[in-house]
Amino acid sequence: MAVWLGVGLQCVGGPELVSYVNTLQGTESKGDYSHGNTYPTIAVPYPMHSYSAQTGKNGHGWKYQYPSKTIRGFQQVHQCSPWVNDYNVFSLFPEVGELAVDEETRASAFSHDNETAKPHYYSVKFDNGIQTEISPTERCGHMRFTFPGGDPAWLVLDGYTGDSHIQIHPDHRRITGWVHNGGWLTPGSLKSHFILEFDQPFTAYGTWENRTGTVQAGNKEAEGKGAGAFLQFEPGSTVQVKVCASYISPEQAEVTFQREIAADQTLDETKAKAARLWNELLGRVRVEGKSEADKATFYSCLFRANLFSHKFYEIRSDGSPYYFSPFDEKIHNGYMYTDNGFWDTFRSQFPLTNILHPTMQGRYMQALLDAQEQCGWYPSWCCPGNSGIMIGNHAISLLTDAWAKGIRTFDPEQALAAYKHEITNKSPWGGSCGREAHKEYFELGYIPFERVGEATAKTLEYAYDDWCAYHLACMTANKEYEEFFGKLIYHYKNVWDPAVGFMRGRMPDGCWRPDFDPYEWGGPFTEGNSWQYTWSVFHDIRGLIHLVGSEEAFVAKLDELFAGSNEYRVGSYGTVIHEISEMLDAGMGQYAHGNQPVQHVAYLYNYARRPWKTQYQVREIMSRLYNASEKGYPGDEDQGGLSSWYVLSALGIYSVCPGSDQYVIGSPMFEKASITLESGKVFTIEAVGNSPENVYIQTATLNGHPLTRSWISYDEIMQGGVLKFTMGSIPNKARGTGDADLPFSVSEP
Ligand code: CA
């Protein structure tokens, strides 16, 4: 079979890359144990709407769990994490025989043997013989239901958990209406105005309400809590449904419908278009060598690395973008993105996106400033409204990282002024909007424990974020902000206790929090313990080495993290949270890769002149903790976070300090990887002699010139070229050990 490999490349034989993707990766998850907490997303890259089969109850965050035996709906979805649940959902469900509207009664048995789960196409055949197929577009979708003959065929539209309005138009084979549902992150006036268009006539219809179970045959219009509809078709029908939804208006839904799905378009055509989009995107990172299973893992991760943030803007008939703001609930011109928590994604997803999609990043960075104006605070954890959950003020990391990488679509002075406001005020929400105890932070130089929860984790991440602001000020020659933020970038040192050799909780009076236990989770830390958080000094690892005392002591401490005890104390959580369970199963000491705080740590050996130890550990992590199956992740995938870690690491690079222009070198998984950039240039990473044993870099060249550094720059990637490694089974302990080889740190070697 021939396949189009994307920008600037010709057709090459081989399987379509989208066929490597398993969208069931990570779906065997539950609240107390996560193999990813994903659902089988049916979507084009960075969509506004996605689709998924639904096994869980209406409103349950775990919408699809692999072990489930029945499906109760096919949803339009937007959710970026089960922990914040979904919003503006509605679902369709096919059935035969007697009409059953209730979600429990109608649920139908299925087997994974009769299921196909790809990004561009999902299909499942129930045990009762009904087949459902779904293919996506950016803001619409296409479903096809094939009913067995004999019994009456039904489609049930479920208005889900909130308010909804339904209007059936039998003459036009349409249902129109809106839904508003969701939780505490969903703005009160956010409606999804939808259009469902069917290609078969209705032989009967009516409305129902899922709160009461009331069914009204022959009724065409209903509004209320979970108002829905049902339609009957001829027995044995095949029914195609085109779905569209707008956050702006019913009129915009019509415009989008016309733009995205032609009147005579079949599901097979929608499927082919979506496959082409994914093959183009996946083909921009073409890997060679290794097993088919490794390619499946790589492309499944590359798929999930390219879903969030969701587009929140829509396109007028004249082609111009505009949106309903989830922040001020007004209509604005321009681009908007949401459904992302930056604590999860500043580390890997955005640094990967800066390589693959700089044009989109440019739009996104301006959208961040627009969102800040509309909200009064920078976005931090949005789904789609701002929430302030998790910690840090990481929007500045995105902005500085973009600027450092040449993305100049926004006003840096505005960005810095907004950031100064962010860190000198307390927001109405939690830890990642504004800065609680900011006065104490400026007076004491740390967030005092007990007055504020997760105080030491916050101090560490704030020091990094403030360095990002300082660095943006330096890059833009803004002396005022350089001076203001420059005083804050070493505050991480104020929570380092030399007596115990760890980052530690510190009380308002300057004393250390008593009874230090580096294995204790929570308290002054966030979803982790001191073993995991002590390394969160992204901008100044050399400064951290100085605190620890020496490179040897630093390396010994890292070694102990990976190979030492995996004991734990539940601490303030009071119970074993899923991140603890996942750490225990990973079998890598205190290295809890399933959660964010440690995800850069394997790369830190480079800063202490032991790059071969990084090379060993990153290959261990990739091989042991990832696969393409329903158990494919070692913890919450988190909006492309874990997937982007894998994609970057498999390429042999990782962004330890977003905001700098450097990617630190690890150990590539594949013998060859070619990245086709937006410009059409190609950056190729070769690893000659690579194998599961040959994980160690012997020598390296960049465009034919010897490269001894443990990092490469963004510009070197974006100019195209060849980074060539020779791999071996024995470490080369001479390479990457000079001062000039070390990656960026604020402090000198
Ligand atoms: Ca997480």
Side-chain angles (χ1 to χ4, degrees):
M1 189 194 295
V3 57
W4 177 247
L5 285 176
V7 187
L9 294 180
Q10 66 277 37
C11 286
V12 176
E16 291 199 340
L17 295 179
V18 74
S19 69
Y20 282 114
V21 178
N22 177 22
T23 63
L24 297 173
Q25 185 188 26
T27 58
E28 185 159 337
S29 298
K30 50 189 179 173
D32 60 4
Y33 200 98
S34 173
H35 282 294
N37 272 336
T38 54
Y39 48 87
T41 316
I42 308 153
V44 299
Y46 300 104
M48 189 163 91
H49 307 302
S50 305
Y51 297 86
S52 174
Q54 175 193 353
T55 64
K57 286 180 190 294
N58 281 357
H60 193 234
W62 283 260
K63 53 179 75 255
Y64 180 102
Q65 291 176 295
Y66 191 85
S68 298
K69 305 290 184 208
T70 61
I71 288 173
R72 63 181 75 201
F74 297 96
Q75 302 185 331
Q76 188 185 76
V77 302
H78 315 98
Q79 175 175 296
C80 55
S81 165
W83 305 107
V84 297
N85 217 325
D86 207 347
Y87 63 92
N88 284 18
V89 177
F90 56 90
S91 68
L92 281 169
F93 189 76
E95 56 194 36
V96 288
E98 206 167 312
L99 175 66
V101 291
D102 174 71
E103 61 168 310
E104 300 290 345
T105 316
R106 73 187 188 221
S108 279
F110 78 108
S111 157
H112 295 297
D113 295 340
N114 298 319
E115 186 183 42
T116 302
K118 298 293 172 189
H120 65 298
Y121 177 70
Y122 176 89
S123 169
V124 65
K125 193 169 192 177
F126 292 157
D127 294 356
N128 66 14
I130 301 174
Q131 185 182 16
T132 298
E133 300 163 278
I134 308 174
S135 286
T137 77
E138 215 162 59
R139 298 175 188 81
C140 298
H142 210 144
M143 299 186 181
R144 182 163 66 194
F145 303 98
T146 304
F147 297 92
D151 292 320
W154 301 95
L155 271 178
V156 175
L157 169 62
D158 194 322
Y160 219 62
T161 56
D163 296 326
S164 58
H165 178 93
I166 300 293
Q167 175 90 51
I168 303 171
H169 311 270
D171 296 343
H172 297 94
R173 299 177 184 174
R174 273 187 166 201
I175 302 177
T176 58
W178 53 260
V179 292
H180 166 80
N181 54 65
W184 50 294
L185 307 186
T186 312
S189 63
L190 179 70
K191 288 178 180 171
S192 278
H193 305 275
F194 64 79
I195 301 166
L196 306 178
E197 190 169 282
F198 303 81
D199 73 342
Q200 299 296 318
F202 315 153
T203 56
Y205 54 82
T207 61
W208 68 291
E209 193 177 296
N210 66 20
R211 294 277 174 99
T212 59
T214 313
V215 174
Q216 287 186 282
N219 192 32
K220 288 184 186 172
E221 187 170 7
E223 184 167 326
K225 298 286 182 192
F230 59 86
L231 305 173
Q232 191 186 49
F233 299 93
E234 289 291 342
S237 291
T238 296
V239 181
Q240 290 197 55
V241 191
K242 295 171 185 169
V243 181
C244 189
S246 165
Y247 296 127
I248 294 173
S249 66
E251 295 74 23
Q252 179 57 40
E254 291 284 357
V255 170
T256 301
F257 202 37
Q258 305 304 323
R259 288 180 64 85
E260 292 199 6
I261 300 196
D264 58 350
Q265 189 165 316
T266 65
L267 179 117
D268 300 303
E269 289 166 338
T270 306
K271 175 184 173 184
K273 283 184 178 178
R276 190 163 65 242
L277 286 173
W278 279 113
N279 283 325
E280 283 176 6
L281 174 49
L282 301 174
R284 291 187 52 201
V285 190
R286 184 164 176 76
V287 294
E288 299 172 40
K290 299 289 287 183
S291 66
E292 293 299 284
D294 288 321
K295 287 180 187 166
T297 305
F298 182 84
Y299 285 111
S300 295
C301 285
L302 187 56
F303 155 71
R304 289 213 176 270
N306 284 280
L307 290 175
F308 298 100
S309 301
H310 283 150
K311 292 187 176 81
F312 214 74
Y313 63 89
E314 303 175 41
I315 307 293
R316 293 188 183 91
S317 48
D318 67 4
S320 59
Y322 73 135
Y323 59 94
F324 172 91
S325 166
F327 308 112
D328 69 2
E329 305 184 45
K330 295 185 176 129
I331 304 290
H332 299 270
N333 289 325
Y335 298 98
M336 186 49 62
Y337 302 83
T338 186
D339 299 338
N340 203 320
F342 299 152
W343 188 79
D344 298 341
T345 50
F346 84 87
R347 302 154 204 268
S348 58
Q349 201 270 345
F350 282 93
L352 173 63
T353 307
N354 274 325
I355 295 173
L356 292 178
H357 308 293
T359 301
M360 181 179 78
Q361 290 287 79
R363 293 170 176 173
Y364 199 144
M365 295 307 107
Q366 179 57 50
L368 278 182
L369 294 190
D370 295 341
Q372 195 276 341
E373 285 187 333
Q374 292 156 22
C375 177
W377 306 89
Y378 270 120
S380 62
W381 222 117
C382 303
C383 181
N386 207 357
S387 73
I389 56 178
M390 300 312 297
I391 64 166
N393 301 120
H394 297 312
I396 195 68
S397 168
L398 278 48
L399 289 159
T400 301
D401 198 42
W403 193 274
K405 292 168 181 172
I407 293 169
R408 303 286 157 83
T409 53
F410 60 95
D411 176 358
E413 172 120 25
Q414 184 189 349
L416 290 165
Y419 184 71
K420 184 179 178 186
H421 169 268
E422 193 80 16
I423 73 166
T424 52
N425 286 279
K426 180 179 181 299
S427 84
W429 308 292
S432 63
C433 277
R435 199 167 280 188
E436 197 180 354
H438 54 90
K439 289 194 181 106
E440 288 90 335
Y441 190 68
F442 283 91
E443 283 165 19
L444 301 170
Y446 60 92
I447 299 289
F449 181 66
E450 280 192 335
R451 286 224 40 220
V452 178
E454 305 171 320
T456 299
K458 286 175 181 169
T459 301
L460 293 169
E461 296 191 17
Y462 291 160
Y464 160 71
D465 290 328
D466 294 349
W467 170 80
C468 288
Y470 165 75
H471 188 49
L472 180 57
C474 293
M475 288 189 289
T476 55
N478 190 324
K479 290 290 171 202
E480 180 194 337
Y481 286 123
E482 193 179 315
E483 192 178 328
F484 181 82
F485 295 115
K487 295 174 192 156
L488 308 173
I489 64 177
Y490 296 110
H491 277 11
Y492 69 90
K493 295 182 181 178
N494 298 329
V495 289
W496 169 263
D497 179 3
V500 297
F502 283 95
M503 299 295 178
R504 181 172 181 179
R506 197 163 187 186
M507 312 304 282
D509 64 2
C511 294
W512 295 108
R513 181 191 181 218
D515 303 323
F516 177 73
D517 179 349
Y519 299 103
E520 180 191 344
W521 285 57
F525 300 104
T526 303
E527 297 178 356
N529 61 25
S530 185
W531 259 117
Q532 289 134 22
Y533 250 103
T534 287
W535 318 96
S536 289
V537 188
F538 312 98
H539 59 298
D540 197 15
I541 298 300
R542 289 299 306 186
L544 179 62
I545 291 171
H546 295 319
L547 289 180
V548 173
S550 67
E551 290 172 355
E552 289 69 28
F554 182 83
V555 169
K557 201 172 188 73
L558 279 174
D559 286 348
E560 191 180 346
L561 173 88
F562 284 102
S565 166
N566 66 359
E567 65 185 289
Y568 66 92
R569 243 74 70 201
V570 297
S572 58
Y573 292 108
T575 185
V576 176
I577 60 174
H578 73 92
E579 288 88 352
I580 296 176
S581 301
E582 293 144 18
M583 176 190 80
L584 297 176
D585 277 4
M588 300 182 81
Q590 294 294 311
Y591 182 74
H593 184 76
N595 205 27
Q596 278 74 6
V598 296
Q599 286 169 1
H600 62 302
V601 172
Y603 287 90
L604 299 189
Y605 287 109
N606 281 307
Y607 295 74
R609 305 179 212 269
R610 310 292 195 283
W612 60 93
K613 284 179 175 269
T614 287
Q615 292 153 25
Y616 172 82
Q617 293 294 358
V618 296
R619 293 289 286 269
E620 282 289 295
I621 297 161
M622 283 189 274
S623 302
R624 288 169 59 164
L625 303 184
Y626 287 84
N627 61 64
S629 80
E630 63 277 7
K631 295 182 177 179
Y633 295 103
D636 285 351
E637 199 282 327
D638 284 339
Q639 316 113 51
L642 272 185
S643 295
S644 300
W645 186 97
Y646 184 90
V647 168
L648 286 168
S649 294
L651 294 172
I653 57 176
Y654 187 73
S655 179
V656 170
C657 181
S660 80
D661 66 346
Q662 292 186 3
Y663 292 81
V664 177
I665 291 172
S667 175
M669 273 289 275
F670 295 90
E671 285 168 41
K672 188 175 176 186
S674 304
I675 308 169
T676 302
L677 303 157
E678 261 186 5
S679 64
K681 292 177 181 172
V682 177
F683 186 73
T684 303
I685 298 159
E686 291 182 41
V688 177
N690 204 1
S691 74
E693 295 74 37
N694 293 352
V695 302
Y696 297 108
I697 295 171
Q698 308 296 301
T699 59
T701 59
L702 180 62
N703 301 324
H705 304 292
L707 183 85
T708 61
R709 287 184 257 131
S710 290
W711 55 275
I712 58 169
S713 74
Y714 179 77
D715 275 351
E716 287 167 342
I717 296 170
M718 300 309 278
Q719 283 166 19
V722 180
L723 176 61
K724 185 172 181 177
F725 300 109
T726 306
M727 309 300 287
S729 60
I730 298 168
N732 175 354
K733 296 188 177 178
R735 191 186 166 276
T737 57
D739 281 359
D741 298 330
L742 306 180
F744 166 78
S745 273
V746 170
S747 297
E748 296 292 315

